[in-house]
Amino acid sequence: MLRTLLTYAHEDESVGALAEAARREPQRAFVSASMRPYLLASLIDEDPERPALVVAGDDRAARDLAADLKTFLSPRPVRFYPARGVRYESHLAPPPHLVGLRIAALDALLGDAAAVLVTSAVALAEKVPDPELRPRGFEIEKGGLLDLDETAARLVACGYHRVDQVEERGQFAIRGDILDVYPATEERAVRCELFDIEVERLTWFSTFTQRSLEEADGVEIAPAAELAPEERELAEIAAEADEGDRPDVAEVLPVDRFRELLDLVPEGALIAVAAEEELDPALRDYWEDVTASFHDEDAHHLYVPPDRLDEALTQRAALRLSSISQDQPHEFRAQSADTATRSLKDAEPELEKLVRSGYRTIVAWARRGEAERAAYNLARVRAEFLDGRPAPREPGVTFAHANLREGFLAPGLKLAIVPEHRLLHRRRAERPSGLRPGGGGAIASFTELRAGAPVVHEDHGIARFAGFETKTVGRVTRDYLELEFRDGDRVFVPSDQLHKISRYVGADAGDPPLSKLGGKQWEQMKLRARRAAEALAGELINLYAERRRRAGHAFPQDTEWLMEFEQRFPYRETPDQMEAIEAVRADMEEARPMDRLICGDEGYGKTEVALRAAFKAAEDGKQVMFLVPTTVLAQQHFGTFGERMRDYPLRIDMVSRFRSAKEVRESLDDFMEGKVDILIGTHRMLSRDVRPKDLGLLIVDEEQRFGVKQKELLRQLRLRVDVLSLSATPIPRTLQMSLAGLRDISVIETPPEGRRPVKTYVGEYDEELVRRAIERELAREGQAFFLHNRVETIDETAERVRAMVPKARVAVAHGQMAEGELEKVMLDFLRGGADVLVCTTIVESGLDIPSANTLIVERADELGLAQLYQIRGRVGRSSERAYAYLLYPSSAALSEDAGARLATLSDYTELGSG
């Protein structure tokens, strides 16, 4: 692969000095993130016979780092050791593919002096069952003897599951005299063909096509479970028990025979921390998770506490690298290898520039054929192939056949390593014609259909799916789908016509009226729907074409005031946020009305985009209307705008039911006279009596929350003024228009610096779990939301919470409270006057309370996906780890639809699992 390139680092004095110093005592070094895999590979390669353990922040970072190290160090074995994927206290067994990766990595580390193991902080913190507790693997050899019944029993004992057709690791299938096995530690499945009890043929095969690939002489069947059957049995029984009846982990697992992973690493191995800044947050998060869901208070049986692990790494890690702290004795700086080119013709000048600057430039190609074609088509640059030869000494371009995720430009080494996808940013391939896009009601396979479900046949109408039936017609045997229509009429649809059937997605999806076979009713319905769709499409196209034709107000370029206002933003903008800001700025400076959708997760900085747009408009003498869906959100935005703009001569006012009728009237009169620059409010601002003097910008927060009449007024406003829409969950039509080019769209998908994703749990309501969750939040001086969406019983629920956590200050908020009372409660909670807010979905939109980082939803099964997504966004708006518990009563059977919604948001399939 690229191993010969490590000679550049071996000859560099700074790399040699770090390697030499690390042999004497632990060393810290600053290294740019893009150069990290190369430097680690160089340091590991200093002693090819010494095993190595590299610790990354999380599993994804460890997996990616292992892939890059494998590219640089091949053929030296590099293994990825992942976390279990499920917590021990859940009593669930980890997936076989993870078990296989873990066993293969451990065996390599314990049995191969040259092995390199890459793991994450969480995997390092999980104790490991003694290898002696594992089931015994076995080997299958070509020409050997094999009894199918006995082998099936051995496979089950090793943790394999018997299936009809092998698709994933840890599965096996038997068909006659053929045994298919997907070993837990292998990349491919193996097929064993028997003649009586002799293994006549052994071949690797593709699980996708089921076709043989190449012959094999033997295969090692490694265990797909980390514990032997007798040790697993109690844990499996415990996993099937109800949440409250589950025994402690120590009762079902031999915890006294679990060991720390670091204890298994041979003495003398090189231990390196890849990114020191990632370890502490990762370890803190996992420990909070463990202590939150662990029923046995003594978590030390199965996990290593962060302070203990940090102490062990301090003692044993020879290298601790960081890409943030620059106050280090060793520094290795590099830039990311990235160009903006889309073709080889555009990339050639970039390669020439690197060579002129003295760089030895290596381009890594995933496919040899692509590299050869590129070398042939280069006009001014001559590219040689590395092919395992010594690395070139002089500046020039070299091609290498290798998979590489990231690259870098290292000025100190005068070395540029550029992966193909960083050199050429090709456009995504177009969808082949004839394929239907996924989503909507399309059905991709038989497995998506279940008996009794309503479906739509494009030729016959609404039917109920009755099942499958195999029929022989005209001496051809095929599978048919049986559809039941009105009056008991039935149609059998051949399986090759599956594309004509889609799910029924109407409002009455549970029991829709079935269509009658024959007649014109279905055709008339389709005709009406088609005409309505065409009318709507025509209306929308005309609307947006008219907007394109009309001349709007072209705002001037940024002034010193605006630049000063932007500099007062107390946080660092993310790249996505800056792109959205620049796009809005460019739109506003054009002489046509802006209509841009800013789509981004809760707390990702959409409001700051709106603030800057509003300031730009108001500074130019134009008025701004900021339309929001709830009074609470209006109050919060009013406070945010007032705080950010208090040093500027701009008047900001608010219209909502938190204000008296007299105050609202005065605000509207002042707005009409031009005395108010920015007016924030709810749908009240869309009334006929709201007449701005010189409106220049309309900002709409969560447009999908407004009704049809309000949207019609918004549509008319779009013809005259710039419109900026903000949404975390846009309705499909809004998103479709944006993606189709009818509306401009900017997506903010990078979280703010320090922001961590919300840990989301789904499970049955457990009062003990709720109590622990609230107490843990109070212990870190935070606040919690308890969502109970029934006004009639919300006070009883608040009393229940007070009884659960007596020391908590509990407040209640819902939409039927008097304006002044609701405002007082919300502001009091915002200022820290209460610890727990028992509330309805009134808190769904926009509340920004950084200290509130625990959310408990009592009947999550009754809420929609968009609602749950919005509500979850109320927490996790600071650097603290946030937790969301989506709960449903044990007595309620979770519907398939509700289960799908909750699964979309959940990190884990069940409370307590990892």
Side-chain angles (χ1 to χ4, degrees):
M1 291 288 192
L2 299 178
R3 188 165 192 167
T4 57
L5 302 182
L6 299 182
T7 55
Y8 294 136
H10 295 327
E11 295 168 0
D12 185 79
E13 291 183 4
S14 57
V15 178
L18 175 60
E20 183 61 34
R23 291 190 185 97
R24 297 191 301 270
E25 59 182 352
Q27 296 293 312
R28 279 182 159 85
F30 168 82
V31 56
S32 298
S34 59
M35 193 181 176
R36 187 185 299 150
Y38 179 78
L39 179 66
L40 281 167
S42 305
L43 296 169
I44 292 169
D45 198 52
E46 286 281 335
D47 189 347
E49 299 301 319
R50 185 185 185 189
L53 172 73
V54 181
V55 185
D58 56 32
D59 270 9
R60 178 178 296 179
R63 183 193 61 216
D64 292 342
L65 181 57
D68 282 349
L69 289 178
K70 190 177 294 185
T71 299
F72 284 118
L73 291 171
S74 180
R76 188 170 176 180
V78 177
R79 297 282 189 172
F80 165 48
Y81 181 87
R84 296 178 76 247
V86 291
R87 297 272 184 236
Y88 284 113
E89 60 271 24
S90 72
H91 302 286
L92 299 173
H97 73 278
L98 291 183
V99 174
L101 288 171
R102 288 162 63 88
I103 288 176
L106 271 181
D107 287 350
L109 186 67
L110 297 174
D112 189 336
V116 178
L117 189 149
V118 185
T119 190
S120 64
V122 172
L124 197 65
E126 295 172 333
K127 290 190 177 180
V128 185
D130 191 308
E132 293 297 319
L133 292 173
R134 287 187 210 152
R136 299 297 175 197
F138 58 95
E139 190 173 358
I140 299 176
E141 293 181 340
K142 184 178 179 180
L145 302 180
L146 184 147
D147 180 272
L148 277 177
D149 292 337
E150 180 185 330
T151 303
R154 294 180 71 180
L155 285 167
V156 171
C158 281
Y160 287 76
H161 299 285
R162 185 167 181 171
V163 293
D164 294 330
Q165 181 174 299
V166 168
E167 294 179 345
E168 300 175 349
R169 287 188 185 91
Q171 295 180 340
F172 74 97
I174 298 175
R175 300 187 310 280
D177 289 334
I178 297 176
L179 169 68
D180 289 347
V181 186
Y182 202 148
T185 55
E186 296 289 346
E187 297 297 325
R188 299 174 294 181
V190 69
R191 177 163 292 150
C192 177
E193 299 178 40
L194 301 177
F195 180 75
D196 195 17
I197 61 171
E198 181 184 352
V199 180
E200 185 177 44
R201 191 175 179 218
L202 208 57
T203 54
W204 300 107
F205 73 94
S206 165
T207 56
F208 182 70
T209 64
Q210 295 294 306
R211 292 181 178 176
S212 298
L213 301 174
E214 59 183 283
E215 297 277 343
D217 294 324
V219 61
E220 182 71 28
I221 307 297
E226 55 188 354
L227 295 171
E230 56 273 17
E231 305 290 353
R232 296 201 307 266
E233 187 176 358
L234 284 175
E236 289 170 358
I237 293 172
E240 295 173 359
D242 291 336
E243 185 81 25
D245 298 331
R246 288 182 181 172
D248 289 338
V249 176
E251 297 177 26
V252 296
L253 290 177
V255 295
D256 56 326
R257 297 186 64 185
F258 278 62
R259 303 168 62 184
E260 294 183 23
L261 179 60
L262 276 177
D263 291 343
L264 298 175
V265 178
E267 287 294 330
L270 172 66
I271 298 178
V273 175
E276 189 171 20
E277 67 276 8
E278 295 176 4
L279 252 62
D280 181 62
L283 291 174
R284 188 155 53 99
D285 283 352
Y286 107 85
W287 191 249
E288 287 181 0
D289 288 348
V290 167
T291 54
S293 57
F294 209 92
H295 290 287
D296 179 359
E297 295 299 327
D298 189 9
H300 298 71
H301 284 314
L302 296 165
Y303 301 97
V304 187
D307 54 351
R308 166 77 185 91
L309 192 55
D310 185 64
E311 181 184 345
L313 284 173
T314 301
Q315 293 174 357
R316 296 196 60 184
L319 291 164
R320 296 174 80 103
L321 306 182
S322 171
S323 58
I324 293 181
S325 175
Q326 300 184 23
D327 186 20
Q328 305 289 4
H330 308 276
E331 286 193 359
F332 302 91
R333 297 185 176 278
Q335 302 167 252
S336 296
D338 210 346
T339 67
T341 60
R342 293 190 179 276
S343 68
L344 197 63
K345 182 180 178 181
D346 295 336
E348 192 165 20
E350 299 292 332
L351 295 174
E352 283 185 301
K353 191 187 302 180
L354 287 171
V355 175
R356 284 198 305 269
S357 301
Y359 279 86
R360 294 163 291 195
T361 305
I362 288 83
V363 182
W365 299 82
R367 292 172 294 278
R368 173 73 185 218
E370 289 278 346
E372 291 174 347
R373 280 192 293 275
Y376 178 80
N377 289 317
L378 285 172
R380 302 186 302 274
V381 173
R382 183 182 177 187
E384 301 289 343
F385 280 85
L386 193 60
D387 288 340
R389 295 179 299 179
R393 300 288 178 186
E394 301 301 321
V397 176
T398 305
F399 283 179
H401 179 206
N403 277 305
L404 196 62
R405 191 178 57 88
E406 300 289 346
F408 62 89
L409 275 64
L413 296 175
K414 281 297 178 183
L415 175 64
I417 298 180
V418 187
E420 168 203 359
H421 62 274
R422 294 293 184 190
L423 181 69
L424 304 175
H425 290 251
R426 295 189 175 95
R427 296 182 186 274
R428 291 181 181 177
E430 295 295 325
R431 182 185 300 277
S433 60
L435 291 183
R436 296 204 305 172
I443 294 174
S445 73
F446 296 127
T447 58
E448 298 182 25
L449 292 169
R450 65 183 192 280
V455 295
V456 178
H457 191 287
E458 66 177 46
D459 297 330
H460 304 304
I462 303 169
R464 198 169 297 286
F465 174 63
F468 296 103
E469 191 163 325
T470 303
K471 289 178 172 288
T472 302
V473 180
R475 291 185 292 182
V476 176
T477 301
R478 286 195 295 183
D479 290 323
Y480 290 82
L481 288 75
E482 183 181 353
L483 304 184
E484 181 183 349
F485 290 83
R486 193 192 303 172
D487 301 330
D489 292 338
R490 295 177 183 273
V491 170
F492 292 89
V493 182
S495 57
D496 58 4
Q497 293 184 18
L498 185 65
H499 62 278
K500 289 194 169 189
I501 299 172
S502 58
R503 299 184 193 88
Y504 180 83
V505 291
D508 51 351
D511 188 23
L514 303 183
S515 299
K516 181 174 178 61
L517 275 183
K520 298 181 179 179
Q521 184 182 10
W522 176 244
E523 287 301 323
Q524 289 172 349
M525 287 178 64
K526 288 200 296 182
L527 181 62
R528 286 198 301 270
R530 190 179 298 116
R531 286 174 177 169
E534 288 172 355
L536 176 61
E539 181 184 349
L540 290 171
I541 290 171
N542 289 335
L543 171 69
Y544 288 98
E546 180 67 21
R547 285 179 53 80
R548 295 278 179 178
R549 285 195 297 268
R550 288 202 179 194
H553 177 75
F555 289 93
Q557 294 187 349
D558 292 355
T559 63
E560 290 186 11
W561 263 16
L562 179 56
M563 288 186 279
E564 177 190 89
F565 176 76
E566 291 180 343
Q567 289 169 1
R568 292 188 175 190
F569 183 49
Y571 308 102
R572 181 184 299 174
E573 299 91 342
T574 65
D576 293 345
Q577 192 180 22
M578 278 306 303
E579 285 184 15
I581 291 167
E582 292 297 332
V584 170
R585 176 179 295 143
D587 286 350
M588 293 180 70
E589 291 173 3
E590 284 190 20
R592 67 175 178 85
M594 172 180 72
D595 190 8
R596 180 169 292 274
L597 169 67
I598 306 294
C599 188
D601 212 339
E602 296 294 335
Y604 276 34
K606 300 188 296 294
T607 302
E608 180 62 21
V609 180
L611 271 162
R612 297 186 186 188
F615 189 96
K616 186 179 182 74
E619 185 194 12
D620 191 42
K622 291 288 186 178
Q623 291 176 296
V624 179
M625 288 173 59
F626 194 161
L627 186 64
V628 299
T630 66
T631 52
V632 174
L633 185 53
Q635 179 72 35
Q636 182 138 19
H637 278 318
F638 180 61
T640 302
F641 272 63
E643 176 68 24
R644 286 276 276 127
M645 299 181 182
R646 64 183 175 185
D647 296 330
Y648 298 92
L650 300 175
R651 181 178 167 188
I652 302 158
D653 214 331
M654 179 181 69
V655 173
S656 79
R657 67 184 182 92
F658 279 165
R659 313 198 66 183
S660 67
K662 180 182 177 182
E663 290 174 324
V664 169
R665 186 67 265 159
E666 289 175 353
S667 296
L668 293 179
D669 288 343
D670 289 348
F671 192 54
M672 186 169 58
E673 295 172 12
K675 297 177 182 178
V676 173
D677 299 291
I678 300 172
L679 186 64
I680 300 170
T682 57
H683 60 277
R684 171 69 177 85
M685 293 202 304
L686 294 175
S687 302
R688 301 286 180 186
D689 61 340
V690 179
R691 295 186 293 273
K693 181 179 181 181
D694 188 10
L695 185 64
L697 175 65
L698 170 67
I699 304 172
V700 185
D701 198 1
E702 302 298 344
E703 184 180 0
Q704 75 276 7
R705 298 288 305 279
F706 294 95
V708 174
K709 291 183 179 179
Q710 287 85 21
K711 287 177 182 174
E712 180 61 33
L713 292 170
L714 291 176
R715 189 181 306 171
Q716 294 170 12
L717 280 173
R718 280 197 171 92
L719 288 172
R720 303 194 297 271
V721 300
D722 284 5
V723 178
L724 182 64
S725 302
L726 316 176
S727 182
T729 54
I731 58 175
R733 191 181 74 181
T734 300
L735 188 59
Q736 174 64 26
M737 287 192 296
S738 299
L739 297 177
L742 293 175
R743 297 180 70 179
D744 297 317
I745 183 171
S746 295
V747 179
I748 304 178
E749 53 187 358
T750 306
E753 189 173 336
R755 180 69 53 84
R756 289 181 282 172
V758 179
K759 283 281 187 183
T760 307
Y761 299 88
V762 172
E764 295 180 2
Y765 184 88
D766 179 355
E767 199 160 278
E768 178 62 19
L769 173 79
V770 172
R771 182 188 63 78
R772 288 202 313 270
I774 295 175
E775 287 183 344
R776 182 185 59 186
E777 189 59 60
L778 298 187
R780 58 179 185 176
E781 299 181 349
Q783 295 170 285
F785 291 106
F786 188 104
L787 197 144
H788 175 89
N789 205 31
R790 288 286 184 275
V791 174
E792 309 83 51
T793 54
I794 196 168
D795 290 323
E796 297 173 16
T797 302
E799 288 302 321
R800 185 156 38 97
V801 172
R802 290 187 183 99
M804 270 192 284
V805 191
K807 63 180 180 181
R809 297 168 299 166
V810 180
V812 175
H814 57 79
Q816 294 181 19
M817 296 172 72
E819 288 89 340
E821 185 184 1
L822 178 60
E823 180 183 12
K824 180 181 177 183
V825 169
M826 297 306 300
L827 291 177
D828 187 53
F829 185 69
L830 182 63
R831 294 165 182 158
D835 301 311
V836 181
L837 184 67
V838 179
C839 55
T840 59
T841 54
I842 191 174
V843 298
E844 182 176 338
S845 291
L847 280 177
D848 189 358
I849 305 178
S851 59
N853 285 300
T854 292
L855 166 70
I856 298 159
V857 182
E858 191 174 27
R859 286 301 304 263
D861 54 311
E862 294 183 342
L863 300 177
L865 179 59
Q867 273 188 308
L868 288 169
Y869 195 80
Q870 291 278 1
I871 291 165
R872 189 178 64 170
R874 298 312 103 223
V875 296
R877 304 175 78 88
S878 69
S879 58
E880 288 287 345
R881 167 66 82 187
Y883 298 88
Y885 297 84
L886 310 181
L887 309 177
Y888 53 89
S890 57
S891 58
L894 196 60
S895 70
E896 185 173 339
D897 179 56
R901 291 199 305 273
L902 297 180
T904 302
L905 289 166
S906 84
D907 299 327
Y908 313 120
T909 55
E910 142 174 18
L911 274 169
S913 64

